[in-house]
Amino acid sequence: DVKVTQSSRYLVKRTGEKVFLECVQDMDHENMFWYRQDPGLGLRLIYFSYDVKMKEKGDIPEGYSVSREKKERFSLILESASTNQTSMYLCASSGLGQGLPYEQYFGPGTRLTVT
Amino acid sequence: QKEVEQDPGPLSVPEGAIVSLNCTYSNSAFQYFMWYRQYSRKGPELLMYTYSSGNKEDGRFTAQVDKSSKYISLFIRDSQPSDSATYLCAMSAQDTGRRALTFGSGTRLQVQP
């Protein structure tokens, strides 16, 4: 069974804080993704990575950075959290080894509130 | 204009009804079409997957793709209260180097017992 885990289900941070969201997958997937989900806007891609130490910007990378030092782990970093980054953050992974091509497996999400 | 358009709902139906969920898209390069189901406070999970045009059936669920119209549908027969969730369409181009999916905004479905 594919498993994608995220470090926190709920997180409350103050404006200006540096925030780390961690994601770990156990299926040896090459690709990992960070999305944010907001009502009416659906899932929007922030960053993705198709290999260790590789990253590419998604549709809304501003205010975010990522790190992928190991294949199974993909971190999302909010350098200086702002209230407009209050959202649900979803991590996903995919790979050619297991599952269908392009099938993305999602973690349970982290609901981040920035006050 | 968004690449993928999906009516947000909510859609409320009685138990046992046939449900039709739809998405339209503008990128003719899309080849892979998916439907994800997302229960409240959970991550999305893959429900149906179709490559190119045609129909695919899995139990009470049928996915249809009409590439000429750039229109995809998900039908749910004999809907159950447990089908109450948000349904997201997603698609990808075969030759995309991004390996990422483009999602619709999701349709919230409520099946009333």
Side-chain angles (χ1 to χ4, degrees):
Chain A
D1 234 16
V2 178
K3 195 163 185 183
V4 180
T5 55
Q6 295 183 228
S7 51
S8 305
R9 293 300 306 273
Y10 300 94
L11 212 51
V12 180
K13 295 292 182 181
R14 294 193 181 277
T15 301
E17 278 193 83
K18 192 168 186 175
V19 181
F20 293 87
L21 301 182
E22 301 279 331
C23 176
V24 177
Q25 51 95 4
D26 66 358
M27 296 311 294
D28 201 34
H29 279 165
E30 298 82 18
N31 309 313
M32 296 188 75
F33 308 84
W34 275 106
Y35 295 90
R36 63 177 282 178
Q37 185 175 31
D38 300 288
L41 298 176
L43 275 74
R44 293 181 292 166
L45 182 66
I46 304 172
Y47 266 98
F48 69 102
S49 168
Y50 52 87
D51 202 351
V52 176
K53 297 192 186 293
M54 305 299 288
K55 60 185 179 185
E56 284 200 30
K57 293 179 180 179
D59 300 315
I60 50 164
E62 295 79 21
Y64 303 95
S65 62
V66 290
S67 172
R68 192 164 181 204
E69 297 295 321
K70 293 185 177 181
K71 191 175 185 179
E72 67 272 17
R73 189 179 297 269
F74 193 34
S75 302
L76 180 69
I77 303 149
L78 285 66
E79 298 291 344
S80 178
S82 63
T83 55
N84 63 13
Q85 292 178 310
T86 292
S87 186
M88 169 71 91
Y89 289 87
L90 288 160
C91 175
S93 73
S94 73
L96 295 177
Q98 297 205 28
L100 299 165
Y102 301 107
E103 178 182 1
Q104 294 191 8
Y105 295 86
F106 284 84
T110 295
R111 184 164 294 281
L112 172 67
T113 301
V114 182
T115 61
Chain B
Q1 186 186 1
K2 293 180 185 176
E3 264 192 307
V4 180
E5 298 276 1
Q6 185 175 8
D7 188 331
L11 181 62
S12 183
V13 301
E15 184 175 352
I18 296 174
V19 176
S20 172
L21 303 167
N22 311 295
C23 287
T24 58
Y25 63 94
S26 56
N27 187 347
S28 57
F30 287 144
Q31 296 280 346
Y32 297 89
F33 303 92
M34 289 150 237
W35 286 95
Y36 280 79
R37 178 175 60 194
Q38 184 177 22
Y39 291 114
S40 182
R41 298 187 180 86
K42 302 275 188 182
E45 55 181 357
L46 184 67
L47 187 62
M48 296 286 287
Y49 175 101
T50 309
Y51 170 68
S52 194
S53 283
N55 293 0
K56 186 172 185 179
E57 191 172 317
D58 184 1
R60 297 183 295 110
F61 298 89
T62 300
Q64 283 186 354
V65 175
D66 181 350
K67 290 188 70 181
S68 62
S69 302
K70 297 191 180 69
Y71 188 87
I72 70 171
S73 301
L74 177 71
F75 297 96
I76 307 174
R77 289 185 298 281
D78 188 25
S79 55
Q80 302 294 311
S82 58
D83 295 327
S84 298
T86 296
Y87 291 80
L88 300 129
C89 62
M91 37 200 90
S92 179
Q94 185 174 11
D95 61 352
T96 180
R98 290 176 48 163
R99 304 179 182 85
L101 296 174
T102 302
F103 284 86
S105 56
T107 300
R108 190 157 62 92
L109 171 67
Q110 297 259 11
V111 180
Q112 307 293 341

